[in-house]
Short mmCIF file of all heavy atoms in Angstrom, two decimals:
data_model
loop_
_atom_site.label_atom_id
_atom_site.label_comp_id
_atom_site.label_asym_id
_atom_site.label_seq_id
_atom_site.Cartn_x
_atom_site.Cartn_y
_atom_site.Cartn_z
N MET A 3 4.39 66.52 34.96
CA MET A 3 4.47 65.07 35.03
C MET A 3 5.93 64.64 34.90
O MET A 3 6.66 65.16 34.07
CB MET A 3 3.67 64.44 33.88
CG MET A 3 2.19 64.65 33.97
SD MET A 3 1.41 63.74 35.31
CE MET A 3 1.33 62.11 34.60
N PRO A 4 6.34 63.69 35.74
CA PRO A 4 7.71 63.18 35.60
C PRO A 4 7.86 62.40 34.30
O PRO A 4 6.90 61.85 33.78
CB PRO A 4 7.88 62.28 36.82
CG PRO A 4 6.51 61.99 37.31
CD PRO A 4 5.61 63.09 36.83
N GLY A 5 9.09 62.36 33.81
CA GLY A 5 9.37 61.64 32.57
C GLY A 5 9.40 60.14 32.78
O GLY A 5 9.25 59.65 33.90
N LEU A 6 9.59 59.44 31.68
CA LEU A 6 9.68 57.98 31.71
C LEU A 6 11.10 57.57 31.38
O LEU A 6 11.79 58.27 30.65
CB LEU A 6 8.73 57.38 30.67
CG LEU A 6 7.25 57.50 31.01
CD1 LEU A 6 6.41 57.13 29.78
CD2 LEU A 6 6.89 56.62 32.19
N TYR A 7 11.53 56.43 31.91
CA TYR A 7 12.79 55.83 31.50
C TYR A 7 12.61 54.32 31.44
O TYR A 7 11.67 53.78 32.05
CB TYR A 7 13.97 56.28 32.37
CG TYR A 7 13.85 56.06 33.86
CD1 TYR A 7 14.24 54.85 34.44
CD2 TYR A 7 13.38 57.06 34.68
CE1 TYR A 7 14.17 54.67 35.80
CE2 TYR A 7 13.30 56.88 36.04
CZ TYR A 7 13.70 55.68 36.60
OH TYR A 7 13.61 55.51 37.96
N PRO A 8 13.46 53.62 30.69
CA PRO A 8 13.22 52.20 30.42
C PRO A 8 13.09 51.36 31.70
O PRO A 8 13.85 51.53 32.65
CB PRO A 8 14.46 51.77 29.63
CG PRO A 8 14.94 53.02 28.99
CD PRO A 8 14.63 54.12 29.98
N GLY A 9 12.11 50.47 31.69
CA GLY A 9 11.92 49.52 32.77
C GLY A 9 11.07 50.00 33.92
O GLY A 9 10.77 49.23 34.84
N ARG A 10 10.67 51.25 33.92
CA ARG A 10 9.88 51.81 35.02
C ARG A 10 8.63 52.49 34.48
O ARG A 10 8.62 53.01 33.38
CB ARG A 10 10.69 52.83 35.82
CG ARG A 10 11.91 52.28 36.54
CD ARG A 10 11.58 51.19 37.55
NE ARG A 10 10.38 51.41 38.34
CZ ARG A 10 10.31 52.20 39.41
NH1 ARG A 10 11.36 52.84 39.84
NH2 ARG A 10 9.18 52.34 40.06
N THR A 11 7.60 52.48 35.32
CA THR A 11 6.43 53.27 35.01
C THR A 11 6.65 54.68 35.58
O THR A 11 7.61 54.93 36.31
CB THR A 11 5.16 52.62 35.60
OG1 THR A 11 4.02 53.30 35.10
CG2 THR A 11 5.17 52.65 37.13
N ARG A 12 5.77 55.59 35.26
CA ARG A 12 5.91 56.97 35.74
C ARG A 12 5.78 56.99 37.28
O ARG A 12 4.86 56.38 37.83
CB ARG A 12 4.82 57.84 35.10
CG ARG A 12 5.10 59.31 35.15
CD ARG A 12 4.01 60.10 34.43
NE ARG A 12 3.67 59.65 33.10
CZ ARG A 12 4.33 59.98 31.98
NH1 ARG A 12 5.37 60.80 32.05
NH2 ARG A 12 3.95 59.52 30.81
N HIS A 13 6.69 57.69 37.95
CA HIS A 13 6.70 57.69 39.42
C HIS A 13 7.43 58.92 39.94
O HIS A 13 8.14 59.60 39.20
CB HIS A 13 7.37 56.41 39.95
CG HIS A 13 8.81 56.27 39.52
ND1 HIS A 13 9.18 55.80 38.29
CD2 HIS A 13 9.96 56.57 40.17
CE1 HIS A 13 10.50 55.80 38.19
NE2 HIS A 13 11.00 56.28 39.33
N ILE A 14 7.28 59.15 41.22
CA ILE A 14 8.01 60.21 41.92
C ILE A 14 8.64 59.57 43.16
O ILE A 14 7.95 58.90 43.94
CB ILE A 14 7.08 61.37 42.36
CG1 ILE A 14 6.44 62.02 41.14
CG2 ILE A 14 7.86 62.40 43.18
CD1 ILE A 14 5.39 63.08 41.50
N HIS A 15 9.93 59.79 43.36
CA HIS A 15 10.60 59.33 44.57
C HIS A 15 10.25 60.26 45.72
O HIS A 15 10.18 61.48 45.54
CB HIS A 15 12.12 59.32 44.37
CG HIS A 15 12.57 58.32 43.36
ND1 HIS A 15 13.07 57.10 43.70
CD2 HIS A 15 12.58 58.36 42.00
CE1 HIS A 15 13.37 56.42 42.60
NE2 HIS A 15 13.09 57.18 41.55
N VAL A 16 10.03 59.66 46.89
CA VAL A 16 9.63 60.43 48.06
C VAL A 16 10.46 59.99 49.26
O VAL A 16 10.68 58.80 49.46
CB VAL A 16 8.13 60.19 48.38
CG1 VAL A 16 7.72 60.93 49.64
CG2 VAL A 16 7.26 60.58 47.21
N LYS A 17 10.94 60.95 50.05
CA LYS A 17 11.61 60.63 51.31
C LYS A 17 10.97 61.47 52.39
O LYS A 17 10.90 62.70 52.28
CB LYS A 17 13.10 60.93 51.23
CG LYS A 17 13.84 60.52 52.48
CD LYS A 17 15.35 60.66 52.30
CE LYS A 17 16.06 60.10 53.50
NZ LYS A 17 16.85 58.94 53.19
N LEU A 18 10.48 60.79 53.44
CA LEU A 18 9.84 61.46 54.57
C LEU A 18 10.74 61.33 55.79
O LEU A 18 11.29 60.26 56.04
CB LEU A 18 8.49 60.82 54.87
CG LEU A 18 7.50 60.81 53.71
CD1 LEU A 18 6.35 59.88 54.01
CD2 LEU A 18 6.99 62.20 53.43
N GLN A 19 10.87 62.42 56.52
CA GLN A 19 11.70 62.39 57.72
C GLN A 19 11.16 63.44 58.68
O GLN A 19 10.41 64.33 58.28
CB GLN A 19 13.15 62.66 57.38
CG GLN A 19 13.39 64.00 56.74
CD GLN A 19 14.80 64.13 56.20
OE1 GLN A 19 15.37 63.18 55.70
NE2 GLN A 19 15.35 65.31 56.34
N PRO A 20 11.54 63.35 59.94
CA PRO A 20 11.05 64.33 60.90
C PRO A 20 11.43 65.76 60.50
O PRO A 20 12.50 65.99 59.92
CB PRO A 20 11.77 63.93 62.20
CG PRO A 20 12.13 62.49 62.02
CD PRO A 20 12.41 62.34 60.55
N ALA A 21 10.56 66.69 60.82
CA ALA A 21 10.83 68.10 60.53
C ALA A 21 12.15 68.52 61.18
O ALA A 21 12.43 68.15 62.31
CB ALA A 21 9.69 68.97 61.05
N GLY A 22 12.96 69.25 60.45
CA GLY A 22 14.22 69.75 60.97
C GLY A 22 15.38 68.80 60.85
O GLY A 22 16.51 69.16 61.18
N ALA A 23 15.14 67.56 60.38
CA ALA A 23 16.23 66.60 60.23
C ALA A 23 17.13 67.01 59.07
O ALA A 23 16.66 67.55 58.07
CB ALA A 23 15.67 65.20 59.99
N ASP A 24 18.42 66.77 59.24
CA ASP A 24 19.37 67.08 58.18
C ASP A 24 19.37 65.96 57.14
O ASP A 24 19.07 64.83 57.42
CB ASP A 24 20.79 67.20 58.74
CG ASP A 24 20.94 68.44 59.61
OD1 ASP A 24 20.21 69.41 59.37
OD2 ASP A 24 21.78 68.41 60.52
N VAL A 25 19.73 66.30 55.92
CA VAL A 25 19.91 65.31 54.86
C VAL A 25 21.39 65.27 54.54
O VAL A 25 21.99 66.32 54.33
CB VAL A 25 19.08 65.70 53.61
CG1 VAL A 25 19.32 64.71 52.47
CG2 VAL A 25 17.61 65.79 53.95
N PRO A 26 22.10 64.15 54.51
CA PRO A 26 21.54 62.81 54.68
C PRO A 26 21.14 62.53 56.12
O PRO A 26 21.63 63.15 57.05
CB PRO A 26 22.69 61.90 54.25
CG PRO A 26 23.91 62.68 54.51
CD PRO A 26 23.54 64.13 54.25
N GLN A 27 20.26 61.56 56.23
CA GLN A 27 19.67 61.19 57.49
C GLN A 27 20.71 60.71 58.49
O GLN A 27 21.61 59.95 58.14
CB GLN A 27 18.66 60.07 57.23
CG GLN A 27 17.74 59.79 58.38
CD GLN A 27 16.60 60.77 58.42
OE1 GLN A 27 16.13 61.22 57.39
NE2 GLN A 27 16.19 61.12 59.59
N ALA A 28 20.60 61.14 59.73
CA ALA A 28 21.48 60.65 60.78
C ALA A 28 21.17 59.18 61.06
O ALA A 28 20.01 58.77 61.00
CB ALA A 28 21.27 61.48 62.05
N PRO A 29 22.19 58.35 61.35
CA PRO A 29 21.94 56.93 61.63
C PRO A 29 20.94 56.76 62.76
O PRO A 29 21.00 57.46 63.76
CB PRO A 29 23.32 56.41 62.03
CG PRO A 29 24.28 57.37 61.42
CD PRO A 29 23.58 58.71 61.42
N GLY A 30 20.02 55.82 62.59
CA GLY A 30 19.04 55.52 63.61
C GLY A 30 17.82 56.42 63.62
O GLY A 30 16.86 56.17 64.33
N MET A 31 17.81 57.48 62.83
CA MET A 31 16.66 58.38 62.80
C MET A 31 15.59 57.80 61.89
O MET A 31 15.91 57.23 60.85
CB MET A 31 17.09 59.77 62.32
CG MET A 31 16.00 60.81 62.46
SD MET A 31 16.63 62.46 62.10
CE MET A 31 17.27 62.90 63.70
N LEU A 32 14.35 57.93 62.29
CA LEU A 32 13.25 57.38 61.51
C LEU A 32 13.11 58.10 60.18
O LEU A 32 13.21 59.32 60.12
CB LEU A 32 11.94 57.52 62.29
CG LEU A 32 11.85 56.73 63.59
CD1 LEU A 32 10.59 57.11 64.33
CD2 LEU A 32 11.88 55.24 63.30
N ASN A 33 12.89 57.34 59.14
CA ASN A 33 12.58 57.92 57.84
C ASN A 33 11.89 56.89 56.97
O ASN A 33 11.90 55.70 57.29
CB ASN A 33 13.84 58.45 57.15
CG ASN A 33 14.74 57.34 56.71
OD1 ASN A 33 14.48 56.67 55.72
ND2 ASN A 33 15.81 57.11 57.45
N LEU A 34 11.29 57.34 55.91
CA LEU A 34 10.64 56.46 54.94
C LEU A 34 11.04 56.92 53.56
O LEU A 34 10.87 58.09 53.22
CB LEU A 34 9.11 56.52 55.09
CG LEU A 34 8.33 55.81 53.98
CD1 LEU A 34 8.55 54.30 54.04
CD2 LEU A 34 6.85 56.15 54.07
N THR A 35 11.59 56.02 52.77
CA THR A 35 11.91 56.30 51.38
C THR A 35 11.05 55.39 50.53
O THR A 35 11.05 54.18 50.72
CB THR A 35 13.40 56.05 51.09
OG1 THR A 35 14.19 56.87 51.95
CG2 THR A 35 13.73 56.37 49.64
N THR A 36 10.29 55.97 49.60
CA THR A 36 9.38 55.18 48.78
C THR A 36 9.15 55.90 47.46
O THR A 36 9.88 56.84 47.12
CB THR A 36 8.06 54.92 49.54
OG1 THR A 36 7.27 53.98 48.81
CG2 THR A 36 7.27 56.19 49.76
N GLN A 37 8.17 55.45 46.72
CA GLN A 37 7.80 56.08 45.46
C GLN A 37 6.28 56.14 45.38
O GLN A 37 5.62 55.30 45.99
CB GLN A 37 8.32 55.25 44.27
CG GLN A 37 9.82 55.08 44.29
CD GLN A 37 10.33 54.17 43.19
OE1 GLN A 37 9.72 54.04 42.15
NE2 GLN A 37 11.46 53.56 43.44
N VAL A 38 5.75 57.11 44.67
CA VAL A 38 4.31 57.17 44.41
C VAL A 38 4.10 57.10 42.91
O VAL A 38 4.98 57.50 42.12
CB VAL A 38 3.65 58.43 45.03
CG1 VAL A 38 3.63 58.34 46.54
CG2 VAL A 38 4.34 59.70 44.57
N TYR A 39 2.94 56.59 42.52
CA TYR A 39 2.66 56.27 41.12
C TYR A 39 1.42 56.98 40.62
O TYR A 39 0.60 57.46 41.42
CB TYR A 39 2.48 54.75 40.98
CG TYR A 39 3.70 53.99 41.40
CD1 TYR A 39 3.82 53.48 42.70
CD2 TYR A 39 4.76 53.79 40.52
CE1 TYR A 39 4.96 52.79 43.09
CE2 TYR A 39 5.90 53.11 40.92
CZ TYR A 39 5.99 52.62 42.20
OH TYR A 39 7.12 51.95 42.59
N PHE A 40 1.25 57.02 39.33
CA PHE A 40 0.14 57.71 38.68
C PHE A 40 -0.91 56.71 38.20
O PHE A 40 -0.54 55.69 37.60
CB PHE A 40 0.66 58.55 37.51
CG PHE A 40 1.50 59.71 37.96
CD1 PHE A 40 2.83 59.53 38.28
CD2 PHE A 40 0.95 60.97 38.09
CE1 PHE A 40 3.61 60.59 38.74
CE2 PHE A 40 1.72 62.04 38.54
CZ PHE A 40 3.05 61.85 38.86
N PRO A 41 -2.18 56.98 38.44
CA PRO A 41 -3.22 56.06 38.00
C PRO A 41 -3.32 56.04 36.47
O PRO A 41 -3.08 57.05 35.81
CB PRO A 41 -4.49 56.64 38.62
CG PRO A 41 -4.20 58.10 38.83
CD PRO A 41 -2.72 58.18 39.10
N GLY A 42 -3.65 54.89 35.94
CA GLY A 42 -3.93 54.77 34.52
C GLY A 42 -2.71 54.76 33.62
O GLY A 42 -2.85 54.83 32.40
N GLU A 43 -1.52 54.68 34.18
CA GLU A 43 -0.31 54.63 33.35
C GLU A 43 -0.21 53.27 32.67
O GLU A 43 -0.33 52.23 33.33
CB GLU A 43 0.94 54.86 34.20
CG GLU A 43 1.17 56.29 34.57
CD GLU A 43 1.55 57.16 33.37
OE1 GLU A 43 2.31 56.70 32.51
OE2 GLU A 43 1.05 58.29 33.29
N PRO A 44 0.05 53.26 31.36
CA PRO A 44 0.10 51.98 30.63
C PRO A 44 1.16 51.02 31.16
O PRO A 44 0.98 49.80 31.08
CB PRO A 44 0.44 52.40 29.19
CG PRO A 44 0.09 53.84 29.10
CD PRO A 44 0.20 54.41 30.49
N ASP A 45 2.24 51.53 31.74
CA ASP A 45 3.32 50.65 32.19
C ASP A 45 3.22 50.25 33.67
O ASP A 45 4.11 49.54 34.17
CB ASP A 45 4.67 51.33 31.94
CG ASP A 45 5.01 51.42 30.46
OD1 ASP A 45 4.40 50.68 29.67
OD2 ASP A 45 5.88 52.23 30.10
N ASN A 46 2.16 50.65 34.36
CA ASN A 46 2.07 50.30 35.79
C ASN A 46 2.18 48.79 36.01
O ASN A 46 2.90 48.34 36.90
CB ASN A 46 0.75 50.81 36.39
CG ASN A 46 0.81 52.30 36.73
OD1 ASN A 46 1.86 52.94 36.65
ND2 ASN A 46 -0.34 52.85 37.09
N GLN A 47 1.47 48.01 35.24
CA GLN A 47 1.45 46.56 35.47
C GLN A 47 2.71 45.88 34.97
O GLN A 47 2.96 44.72 35.31
CB GLN A 47 0.20 45.94 34.83
CG GLN A 47 -1.10 46.53 35.35
CD GLN A 47 -1.23 46.51 36.87
OE1 GLN A 47 -0.81 45.56 37.53
NE2 GLN A 47 -1.76 47.59 37.45
N LYS A 48 3.52 46.56 34.17
CA LYS A 48 4.77 45.96 33.67
C LYS A 48 5.94 46.23 34.62
O LYS A 48 6.97 45.57 34.53
CB LYS A 48 5.11 46.53 32.29
CG LYS A 48 4.06 46.26 31.23
CD LYS A 48 4.46 46.94 29.92
CE LYS A 48 3.31 46.98 28.95
NZ LYS A 48 3.56 47.92 27.85
N ASP A 49 5.79 47.23 35.50
CA ASP A 49 6.86 47.62 36.41
C ASP A 49 6.86 46.66 37.60
O ASP A 49 5.89 46.59 38.35
CB ASP A 49 6.61 49.06 36.87
CG ASP A 49 7.75 49.65 37.67
OD1 ASP A 49 8.38 48.91 38.46
OD2 ASP A 49 8.01 50.85 37.52
N GLU A 50 7.96 45.94 37.81
CA GLU A 50 8.02 44.89 38.83
C GLU A 50 7.90 45.43 40.25
O GLU A 50 7.56 44.67 41.16
CB GLU A 50 9.31 44.08 38.68
CG GLU A 50 9.34 43.27 37.41
CD GLU A 50 10.61 42.42 37.30
OE1 GLU A 50 11.46 42.49 38.19
OE2 GLU A 50 10.71 41.70 36.30
N ILE A 51 8.20 46.70 40.48
CA ILE A 51 8.07 47.23 41.84
C ILE A 51 6.88 48.17 42.01
O ILE A 51 6.71 48.77 43.07
CB ILE A 51 9.37 47.90 42.33
CG1 ILE A 51 9.74 49.12 41.50
CG2 ILE A 51 10.52 46.90 42.33
CD1 ILE A 51 10.88 49.94 42.10
N PHE A 52 6.04 48.29 40.97
CA PHE A 52 4.82 49.09 41.09
C PHE A 52 3.97 48.53 42.22
O PHE A 52 3.79 47.32 42.35
CB PHE A 52 4.04 49.07 39.78
CG PHE A 52 2.66 49.63 39.90
CD1 PHE A 52 2.46 50.99 40.03
CD2 PHE A 52 1.54 48.79 39.88
CE1 PHE A 52 1.17 51.52 40.15
CE2 PHE A 52 0.26 49.30 39.99
CZ PHE A 52 0.08 50.67 40.13
N ASP A 53 3.44 49.42 43.07
CA ASP A 53 2.57 49.02 44.17
C ASP A 53 1.30 49.86 44.06
O ASP A 53 1.34 51.08 44.27
CB ASP A 53 3.28 49.29 45.50
CG ASP A 53 2.44 48.88 46.70
OD1 ASP A 53 1.20 48.72 46.57
OD2 ASP A 53 3.03 48.75 47.78
N PRO A 54 0.16 49.22 43.75
CA PRO A 54 -1.07 50.00 43.56
C PRO A 54 -1.50 50.77 44.80
O PRO A 54 -2.21 51.77 44.69
CB PRO A 54 -2.12 48.95 43.15
CG PRO A 54 -1.52 47.64 43.49
CD PRO A 54 -0.04 47.79 43.51
N SER A 55 -1.05 50.34 45.99
CA SER A 55 -1.43 51.07 47.21
C SER A 55 -0.70 52.42 47.30
O SER A 55 -1.04 53.24 48.15
CB SER A 55 -1.15 50.23 48.46
OG SER A 55 0.24 50.12 48.69
N LEU A 56 0.28 52.64 46.42
CA LEU A 56 1.03 53.89 46.42
C LEU A 56 0.64 54.76 45.22
O LEU A 56 1.42 55.59 44.76
CB LEU A 56 2.53 53.61 46.40
CG LEU A 56 3.08 52.98 47.68
CD1 LEU A 56 4.52 52.52 47.47
CD2 LEU A 56 3.00 53.96 48.84
N THR A 57 -0.58 54.58 44.72
CA THR A 57 -1.06 55.36 43.58
C THR A 57 -1.67 56.68 44.06
O THR A 57 -2.48 56.70 44.99
CB THR A 57 -2.09 54.56 42.77
OG1 THR A 57 -1.48 53.34 42.33
CG2 THR A 57 -2.56 55.34 41.56
N LEU A 58 -1.27 57.76 43.42
CA LEU A 58 -1.77 59.09 43.75
C LEU A 58 -3.25 59.24 43.42
O LEU A 58 -3.74 58.61 42.47
CB LEU A 58 -1.00 60.14 42.96
CG LEU A 58 0.48 60.29 43.28
CD1 LEU A 58 1.20 61.00 42.14
CD2 LEU A 58 0.66 61.03 44.59
N ALA A 59 -3.94 60.06 44.17
CA ALA A 59 -5.29 60.52 43.81
C ALA A 59 -5.10 61.83 43.05
O ALA A 59 -4.43 62.74 43.56
CB ALA A 59 -6.13 60.73 45.05
N ILE A 60 -5.65 61.93 41.85
CA ILE A 60 -5.45 63.13 41.03
C ILE A 60 -6.79 63.77 40.74
O ILE A 60 -7.74 63.10 40.31
CB ILE A 60 -4.70 62.79 39.73
CG1 ILE A 60 -3.31 62.24 40.08
CG2 ILE A 60 -4.59 64.03 38.84
CD1 ILE A 60 -2.44 61.90 38.90
N GLU A 61 -6.86 65.06 40.99
CA GLU A 61 -8.07 65.83 40.74
C GLU A 61 -7.74 66.99 39.82
O GLU A 61 -6.62 67.50 39.81
CB GLU A 61 -8.65 66.38 42.05
CG GLU A 61 -9.06 65.30 43.02
CD GLU A 61 -9.53 65.88 44.36
OE1 GLU A 61 -9.58 67.12 44.49
OE2 GLU A 61 -9.84 65.09 45.24
N THR A 62 -8.74 67.41 39.07
CA THR A 62 -8.58 68.59 38.22
C THR A 62 -8.99 69.81 39.01
O THR A 62 -10.04 69.82 39.67
CB THR A 62 -9.44 68.45 36.95
OG1 THR A 62 -9.01 67.29 36.25
CG2 THR A 62 -9.29 69.67 36.05
N ALA A 63 -8.15 70.86 38.96
CA ALA A 63 -8.44 72.12 39.65
C ALA A 63 -8.26 73.24 38.64
O ALA A 63 -7.16 73.76 38.47
CB ALA A 63 -7.52 72.28 40.85
N GLY A 64 -9.33 73.58 37.93
CA GLY A 64 -9.22 74.57 36.86
C GLY A 64 -8.39 74.00 35.73
O GLY A 64 -8.66 72.90 35.26
N ALA A 65 -7.35 74.72 35.34
CA ALA A 65 -6.48 74.25 34.27
C ALA A 65 -5.38 73.32 34.79
O ALA A 65 -4.63 72.77 34.00
CB ALA A 65 -5.84 75.45 33.56
N ALA A 66 -5.31 73.16 36.10
CA ALA A 66 -4.24 72.36 36.70
C ALA A 66 -4.76 71.02 37.18
O ALA A 66 -5.97 70.79 37.27
CB ALA A 66 -3.62 73.12 37.87
N LYS A 67 -3.83 70.13 37.48
CA LYS A 67 -4.15 68.86 38.13
C LYS A 67 -3.46 68.88 39.49
O LYS A 67 -2.34 69.37 39.63
CB LYS A 67 -3.64 67.68 37.31
CG LYS A 67 -4.25 67.63 35.93
CD LYS A 67 -4.92 66.33 35.72
CE LYS A 67 -5.45 66.27 34.30
NZ LYS A 67 -6.78 65.74 34.25
N VAL A 68 -4.15 68.34 40.49
CA VAL A 68 -3.61 68.27 41.84
C VAL A 68 -3.50 66.80 42.23
O VAL A 68 -4.48 66.06 42.15
CB VAL A 68 -4.51 69.02 42.85
CG1 VAL A 68 -3.99 68.87 44.26
CG2 VAL A 68 -4.65 70.48 42.45
N ALA A 69 -2.30 66.38 42.63
CA ALA A 69 -2.07 65.00 43.05
C ALA A 69 -1.95 64.95 44.56
O ALA A 69 -1.36 65.83 45.18
CB ALA A 69 -0.80 64.46 42.40
N ARG A 70 -2.51 63.90 45.15
CA ARG A 70 -2.50 63.79 46.61
C ARG A 70 -2.23 62.35 47.01
O ARG A 70 -2.73 61.41 46.40
CB ARG A 70 -3.84 64.24 47.17
CG ARG A 70 -3.93 64.07 48.66
CD ARG A 70 -5.26 64.59 49.18
NE ARG A 70 -5.33 64.32 50.60
CZ ARG A 70 -6.03 65.04 51.45
NH1 ARG A 70 -6.70 66.08 51.02
NH2 ARG A 70 -6.06 64.73 52.72
N TYR A 71 -1.42 62.20 48.05
CA TYR A 71 -1.22 60.91 48.71
C TYR A 71 -1.03 61.20 50.19
O TYR A 71 -0.18 62.01 50.54
CB TYR A 71 -0.02 60.15 48.16
CG TYR A 71 0.05 58.74 48.70
CD1 TYR A 71 -0.57 57.70 48.04
CD2 TYR A 71 0.69 58.48 49.89
CE1 TYR A 71 -0.56 56.42 48.56
CE2 TYR A 71 0.71 57.21 50.42
CZ TYR A 71 0.08 56.18 49.75
OH TYR A 71 0.09 54.91 50.27
N ASP A 72 -1.80 60.56 51.04
CA ASP A 72 -1.69 60.78 52.49
C ASP A 72 -0.83 59.68 53.09
O ASP A 72 -1.21 58.50 53.09
CB ASP A 72 -3.07 60.77 53.15
CG ASP A 72 -3.92 61.95 52.71
OD1 ASP A 72 -3.37 63.03 52.48
OD2 ASP A 72 -5.15 61.78 52.60
N PHE A 73 0.33 60.05 53.60
CA PHE A 73 1.21 59.12 54.30
C PHE A 73 0.82 59.13 55.78
O PHE A 73 0.60 60.20 56.36
CB PHE A 73 2.67 59.54 54.18
CG PHE A 73 3.22 59.38 52.79
CD1 PHE A 73 3.18 60.43 51.89
CD2 PHE A 73 3.77 58.17 52.40
CE1 PHE A 73 3.69 60.29 50.61
CE2 PHE A 73 4.28 58.02 51.11
CZ PHE A 73 4.24 59.08 50.22
N VAL A 74 0.74 57.96 56.38
CA VAL A 74 0.49 57.84 57.81
C VAL A 74 1.67 57.09 58.40
O VAL A 74 1.90 55.92 58.06
CB VAL A 74 -0.84 57.10 58.10
CG1 VAL A 74 -1.04 56.95 59.59
CG2 VAL A 74 -2.01 57.82 57.44
N LEU A 75 2.43 57.75 59.26
CA LEU A 75 3.63 57.15 59.83
C LEU A 75 3.45 56.87 61.31
O LEU A 75 2.95 57.71 62.04
CB LEU A 75 4.82 58.11 59.63
CG LEU A 75 5.13 58.53 58.21
CD1 LEU A 75 6.29 59.52 58.21
CD2 LEU A 75 5.47 57.32 57.36
N ASP A 76 3.86 55.68 61.72
CA ASP A 76 3.88 55.33 63.14
C ASP A 76 5.25 55.74 63.66
O ASP A 76 6.24 55.06 63.41
CB ASP A 76 3.64 53.85 63.31
CG ASP A 76 3.66 53.42 64.77
OD1 ASP A 76 3.90 54.28 65.65
OD2 ASP A 76 3.42 52.24 65.04
N MET A 77 5.31 56.86 64.35
CA MET A 77 6.60 57.38 64.83
C MET A 77 6.91 56.89 66.23
O MET A 77 7.89 57.31 66.84
CB MET A 77 6.57 58.92 64.81
CG MET A 77 6.24 59.50 63.44
SD MET A 77 7.46 59.14 62.19
CE MET A 77 8.69 60.36 62.61
N GLY A 78 6.05 55.99 66.74
CA GLY A 78 6.22 55.55 68.11
C GLY A 78 7.38 54.65 68.31
O GLY A 78 7.99 54.49 69.30
FE1 FE2 B 16 13.12 56.84 39.50
#
């Protein structure tokens, strides 16, 4: 689990880009930079940029937890 810092709820930063693209992104190339969040976090509603549509689905798999979020990108 990611740690907490003041003013934010627990989250993971995510950057999506075409396969094979170099980082940093070339100008004009499609990409998405966002964050995903954890369900049930006490600070979710206090975080001004929390977006419930970006909440992970978390399942238990044996002793581990598996988090999932399906991104759908319009690359057209
Ligand atoms: Fe952060």
Side-chain angles (χ1 to χ4, degrees):
M3 293 291 281
L6 290 168
Y7 56 87
R10 296 300 320 279
T11 189
R12 198 177 310 276
H13 61 279
I14 299 174
H15 294 261
V16 177
K17 184 172 187 115
L18 302 167
Q19 61 190 37
D24 291 332
V25 177
Q27 193 81 34
M31 189 172 274
L32 296 172
N33 70 76
L34 170 67
T35 301
T36 189
Q37 301 175 27
V38 291
Y39 300 95
F40 292 81
E43 283 291 320
D45 290 342
N46 280 352
Q47 302 307 321
K48 299 177 194 165
D49 188 323
E50 293 182 358
I51 63 170
F52 168 73
D53 181 342
S55 71
L56 292 170
T57 301
L58 294 161
I60 298 182
E61 298 176 2
T62 300
K67 299 237 184 224
V68 176
R70 176 177 176 152
Y71 188 90
D72 293 326
F73 291 92
V74 178
L75 302 178
D76 180 357
M77 304 296 281

